[in-house]
Amino acid sequence: MNIDELKSVANAIVAEQKGVLAADESNPTIQKRFASIQVESTEENRRRYREILFTADGIERTVGGIILYDETLRQHTQDGVPFPQLLAERGIIPGIKVDQGAKALALYPGEKVTEGLDGLRARLAEYRQLGAQFAKWRAVIEIDEHDIPSPFGIRANAHALARYAALCQEAGLVPIVEPEVLMDGAHGIERCEAVTEQVLQAVFAELDAHRVAFEGMLLKPNMVIAGKLCPVQASVLEVAAATLRCLRRTVPAAVPGIVFLSGGQSAADATDHLNAMNAMEPQPWQVSFSYGRALQAPVLEAWLGQEDNVVAAQRALLNRCHLNGLARAGKYSRSMEGTA
Ligand code: 13P
């Protein structure tokens, strides 16, 4: 493990103004996204859509890294340039999703654990050869009204995340560690904060036990937010304050950056929350984004699978990237929405 190399990649991904575009939807997930705009999920449509994202002129100003799916890492532009090479040439660091999805946790009904550790060392070596410099693994933690998540469910997911992160650093890839506490459900913001705190404590204890160098990783957490079905939704400032309080209690200052997932928030909410956090007092880590839906939903709506709409789709992506770049410095305001 070359810690200086890992550090410099992690720092480049979250350099000033910059964050991550999560474009690593698995085939079943992108099929759902395409179905919402009546586009068939063929290999060529997936390739074309990703090409539209990756060739949008100027995204490199605010996108430091893009997470790809296995199929995408092996695809090319229309002109035959491999996607990882295209991104690297534009100064965007290519990354790869390496988990194989959250599956039912045996004997713990209602809980999940993420699979994909078997054979991971060999897969990481191949991904590095193909040009990936960082990786992502997502653990999924659900909240119910009673006893989910259980302490064991949290521990099992934290352990898998740490095994993945250690293998990544051994292979020279920066691990993005993503423990996602879902915003599904009717729980209030306090419950989300308590669960997120327990999860992050467990994750950093396991990372430490696995000898993962905090300087050479990025954390991709959920924001602390009320469940989607909760009748009382917290304000932007409440979300920002609760999220930072939770992270400051649990995330070592040696971690270079926090790159939030959007998790089903609207594009504007995700930007607004990020902005509010960056407008508060300085934090020990960069506070940035690694959004999937909050960057891509407006792009899909503009594209609709039509070549005639490519310019509009790329403009929609650039607009979201630009606004999130401003939010990285606390310079975004809600009044900027709808002015693109
Ligand atoms: P969302 O921002 O849509 O939650 O996606 C981020 C991601 O990469 C989930 O693993």
Side-chain angles (χ1 to χ4, degrees), residues 72-321:
T72 321
L73 191 75
R74 302 169 197 278
Q75 287 177 323
H76 302 77
T77 63
Q78 256 151 5
D79 307 332
V81 181
F83 281 147
Q85 185 186 326
L86 171 84
L87 296 181
E89 282 169 5
R90 302 191 59 190
I92 298 173
I93 301 176
I96 177 76
K97 182 227 294 294
V98 302
D99 69 70
Q100 295 177 328
K103 308 285 160 60
L105 179 62
L107 306 186
Y108 279 81
E111 294 190 77
K112 291 191 167 136
V113 69
T114 302
E115 295 188 350
L117 289 170
D118 287 357
L120 183 56
R121 180 179 271 127
R123 288 197 292 128
L124 292 175
E126 191 202 1
Y127 288 144
R128 205 179 135 97
Q129 286 268 310
L130 289 168
Q133 295 187 60
F134 71 98
K136 183 196 100 170
W137 176 289
R138 172 175 178 252
V140 179
I141 308 286
E142 206 168 313
I143 295 182
D144 79 353
E145 310 88 84
H146 306 294
D147 43 11
I148 290 181
S150 67
F152 180 77
I154 292 174
R155 191 147 44 94
N157 275 290
H159 187 263
L161 274 167
R163 286 216 29 219
Y164 139 82
L167 281 162
C168 283
Q169 291 195 336
E170 179 192 82
L173 293 163
V174 169
I176 293 192
V177 173
E178 180 180 9
E180 175 173 5
V181 177
L182 295 179
M183 55 188 281
D184 297 340
H187 55 272
I189 189 171
E190 298 79 10
R191 183 94 200 284
C192 179
E193 183 171 357
V195 171
T196 303
E197 190 170 326
Q198 280 169 24
V199 167
L200 292 176
Q201 262 166 9
V203 166
F204 280 98
E206 289 288 347
L207 289 168
D208 187 42
H210 283 74
R211 302 185 172 167
V212 171
F214 297 147
E215 291 81 358
M217 63 164 278
L218 295 167
L219 178 73
K220 176 163 175 168
N222 52 285
M223 293 181 193
V224 171
I225 199 166
K228 262 187 258 176
L229 302 176
C230 180
V232 188
Q233 289 294 320
S235 70
V236 171
L237 285 180
E238 283 166 343
V239 169
T243 303
L244 288 177
R245 178 168 62 230
C246 182
L247 294 172
R248 289 177 69 94
R249 286 176 177 167
T250 51
V251 184
V255 173
I258 310 274
V259 288
F260 288 102
L261 59 93
S262 59
Q265 298 179 48
S266 72
D269 282 351
T271 307
D272 215 353
H273 288 144
L274 180 66
N275 184 70
M277 285 187 257
N278 278 302
M280 291 176 169
E281 73 276 17
Q283 303 302 325
W285 356 258
Q286 296 296 312
V287 176
S288 185
F289 58 91
S290 174
Y291 295 156
R293 283 162 286 179
L295 286 173
Q296 293 185 58
V299 185
L300 288 165
E301 269 168 48
W303 177 49
L304 300 174
Q306 308 289 323
E307 279 304 308
D308 286 350
N309 295 335
V310 167
V311 172
Q314 291 186 323
R315 205 178 301 132
L317 177 62
L318 269 171
N319 179 51
R320 285 291 9 129
C321 291

Side-chain angles (χ1 to χ4, degrees), residues 12-20 56-66 90-92 288-289 314-315 317-319 321-326 328:
I13 293 170
V14 292
E16 204 180 334
Q17 289 194 352
K18 291 190 184 179
V20 175
D57 203 17
I59 55 165
E60 65 279 5
R61 285 196 289 274
T62 50
V63 173
I66 300 186
R90 302 191 59 190
I92 298 173
S288 185
F289 58 91
Q314 291 186 323
R315 205 178 301 132
L317 177 62
L318 269 171
N319 179 51
C321 291
H322 173 66
L323 295 176
N324 283 299
L326 291 175
R328 285 278 279 113

